[in-house]
Amino acid sequence: DGGITQSPKYLFRKEGQNVTLSCEQNLNHDAMYWYRQDPGQGLRLIYYSQIVNDFQKGDIAEGYSVSREKKESFPLTVTSAQKNPTAFYLCASSMISGNTEAFFGQGTRLTVV
Amino acid sequence: QKEVEQNSGPLSVPEGAIASLNCTYSDRGSQSFFWYRQYSGKSPELIMFIYSNGDKEDGRFTAQLNKASQYVSLLIRDSQPSDSATYLCAVNSKVEGAQKLVFGQGTRLTINP
């Protein structure tokens, strides 16, 4: 089945540690996105990528990093520089960046203690 | 001014009535508009998309777009308790040649039996 897979679903880390969230899609989509969602809030854009080996900062990129070495994969690293990393992280993909519907993974709930 | 604005609610509607959800956006160049539904703890799922001015109907859902007023809305007819969720408006936006998908903060809708 085609889809977008995020792993793990739940992640716990100690403060000061970097952590990488996985996002893989087999939809042959060019565009991929990372969003952060805090309780009762909407989705805020962290990074997005229109094509392989290219990505742009979103509205809240500080403390995060990404790579896009393969079309199928867009991992997000939450670094120790991110001051408040506990949140629900959502990865999405779309055929063309912005202009077509985005499909979401199941999300990763990150808790930093 | 936020790029995409929604009334966060909560919006309470009796079962069987029409629920009306509204969204305004700031980028006059936006061409694609999406409505997503998100249940608590889950990832967003697409309900409707609309690209042209006017109305677009799909079952109990109608999306309305007015580009001159930079306004998009979602009507839910014959509201059911299962429609209780947060509804997210998303709009494409072009920044320095890169297209991104921007979300509003969401409107929490409750359908009362």
Side-chain angles (χ1 to χ4, degrees), chain A residues 44-87:
Chain A
R44 291 188 290 167
L45 184 62
I46 305 172
Y47 270 98
Y48 60 110
S49 168
Q50 297 187 111
I51 55 172
V52 176
N53 293 322
D54 187 41
F55 49 83
Q56 289 76 36
K57 292 182 179 180
D59 301 316
I60 56 165
E62 186 174 349
Y64 300 98
S65 65
V66 294
S67 63
R68 186 85 188 276
E69 297 176 1
K70 298 186 300 181
K71 188 175 186 178
E72 302 79 22
S73 180
F74 192 41
L76 173 74
T77 296
V78 184
T79 75
S80 56
Q82 168 50 233
K83 290 182 172 38
N84 186 16
T86 294

Side-chain angles (χ1 to χ4, degrees), chain A residues 3-4 9 11-12 17-18 45 51 61 66 68 70-71 74 90 98 103:
Chain A
I4 182 165
K9 190 172 181 181
L11 189 55
F12 294 87
Q17 289 182 333
N18 290 356
L45 184 62
I51 55 172
V66 294
R68 186 85 188 276
K70 298 186 300 181
K71 188 175 186 178
F74 192 41
L90 286 158
F103 294 87

Side-chain angles (χ1 to χ4, degrees), chain B:
Chain B
Q1 182 190 6
K2 289 183 180 177
E3 291 182 86
V4 179
E5 294 209 49
Q6 297 179 253
N7 186 331
S8 60
L11 176 64
S12 186
V13 172
E15 184 175 357
I18 296 175
S20 178
L21 304 160
N22 304 314
C23 173
T24 58
Y25 60 95
S26 61
D27 184 357
R28 283 200 169 274
S30 294
Q31 299 174 341
S32 306
F33 307 87
F34 307 89
W35 282 101
Y36 286 82
R37 178 177 62 200
Q38 185 179 28
Y39 293 113
S40 182
K42 303 294 185 183
S43 58
E45 55 181 337
L46 182 75
I47 300 175
M48 297 276 296
F49 61 87
I50 186 167
Y51 300 141
S52 305
N53 274 332
D55 294 0
K56 179 181 178 183
E57 189 174 317
D58 184 2
R60 296 187 296 111
F61 299 96
T62 298
Q64 299 175 316
L65 175 61
N66 183 327
K67 288 185 179 180
S69 299
Q70 294 175 248
Y71 176 92
V72 59
S73 65
L74 178 71
L75 300 178
I76 306 175
R77 290 182 299 281
D78 187 24
S79 297
Q80 304 296 310
S82 59
D83 294 327
S84 297
T86 296
Y87 289 80
L88 298 161
C89 171
V91 177
N92 84 306
S93 181
K94 196 170 183 178
V95 178
E96 297 176 354
Q99 296 266 8
K100 60 179 182 177
L101 192 60
V102 182
F103 283 79
Q105 69 268 39
T107 298
R108 188 154 54 94
L109 174 66
T110 301
I111 307 299
N112 300 309

